[in-house]
């Protein structure tokens, strides 16, 4: 199933929204299954990135400009060589959702319960909004 995922950080100064196309191997029936499958795809992408290293990395002009829009120009190198644990990553993502660290919107409707049945269609847009914790200080 092909979906489009957008991740938004509310605490960022630049509001850059990037749609990422992901292909899920199954059709998720609940929000819990959707989060689980998205995490599995991301962990696999990280593993692929860890294994595929370039001898001499370089950036094109377009890549520099695109990354500058996001606020960070870099080679996207993965310095942590430790292989991620899928089960732990899924557990952390579900705990973060339960703790209210991010919200999930499907077709502009918030989904707040993990066990609510979903009716996903091919090429639906899913938005993850991550909330940023504010640190208090005296001015």
């Amino acid at each position: 199933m092909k979906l489009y995922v957008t991740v938004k950080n509310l605490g960022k100064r630049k509001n850059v929204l990037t749609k990422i196309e992901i292909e899920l191997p199954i059709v998720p029936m609940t929000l819990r299954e959707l989060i689980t499958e998205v995490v599995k795809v991301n962990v696999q992408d990280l593993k692929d990135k860890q294994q595929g290293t370039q001898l001499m990395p370089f950036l094109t002009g377009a890549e520099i400009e695109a990354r500058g829009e996001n606020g960070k120009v870099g080679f996207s190198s993965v310095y942590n060589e430790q292989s991620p644990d899928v089960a732990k990553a899924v557990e952390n993502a579900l705990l973060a959702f339960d703790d209210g660290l991010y919200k999930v919107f499907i077709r502009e409707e918030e989904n707040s319960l993990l066990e609510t049945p979903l009716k996903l269609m091919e090429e639906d847009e899913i938005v993850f909004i991550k909330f940023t914790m504010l640190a208090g200080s005296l001015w």
Side-chain angles (χ1 to χ4, degrees), residues 1 5 17-18 23 30 44 56 66 68 111 116 119 124 126 128:
M1 165 172 256
V5 175
L17 297 175
T18 307
E23 189 75 34
T30 63
Q44 187 58 48
M56 293 192 55
N111 290 278
T116 302
K119 294 178 181 148
D124 267 351
I126 300 166
F128 290 91

Side-chain angles (χ1 to χ4, degrees), residues 124-135:
D124 267 351
E125 183 177 348
I126 300 166
V127 178
F128 290 91
I129 298 180
K130 298 190 303 185
F131 296 106
T132 302
M133 298 299 176
L134 300 176

Side-chain angles (χ1 to χ4, degrees), residues 4-10 15-20 38 42 102 125-130:
Y4 293 99
V5 175
T6 302
V7 178
K8 171 70 179 116
N9 285 336
L10 286 184
N15 294 327
V16 178
L17 297 175
T18 307
K19 277 189 192 179
I20 302 168
V38 169
N42 280 299
Y102 66 93
E125 183 177 348
I126 300 166
V127 178
F128 290 91
I129 298 180
K130 298 190 303 185

Side-chain angles (χ1 to χ4, degrees), residues 29-79:
M29 302 309 276
T30 63
L31 184 58
R32 179 182 304 276
E33 289 179 11
L34 174 66
I35 292 171
T36 300
E37 291 303 315
V38 169
V39 169
K40 286 179 181 178
V41 167
N42 280 299
V43 168
Q44 187 58 48
D45 287 348
L46 177 61
K47 286 180 180 180
D48 294 343
K49 192 184 282 188
Q50 284 176 330
Q51 292 171 354
T53 58
Q54 296 178 347
L55 293 177
M56 293 192 55
F58 64 92
L59 296 174
T60 65
E63 289 173 324
I64 292 172
E65 188 174 316
R67 292 179 186 189
E69 290 290 322
N70 289 332
K72 180 181 178 186
V73 178
F75 291 108
S76 299
S77 298
V78 179
Y79 298 107

Side-chain angles (χ1 to χ4, degrees), residues 101-133:
L101 297 179
Y102 66 93
K103 299 285 184 187
V104 180
F105 292 84
I106 300 172
R107 290 186 302 276
E108 298 182 6
E109 289 185 27
E110 180 183 358
N111 290 278
S112 57
L113 300 173
L114 288 173
E115 300 306 326
T116 302
L118 297 179
K119 294 178 181 148
L120 287 175
M121 295 180 280
E122 192 76 20
E123 298 186 0
D124 267 351
E125 183 177 348
I126 300 166
V127 178
F128 290 91
I129 298 180
K130 298 190 303 185
F131 296 106
T132 302
M133 298 299 176

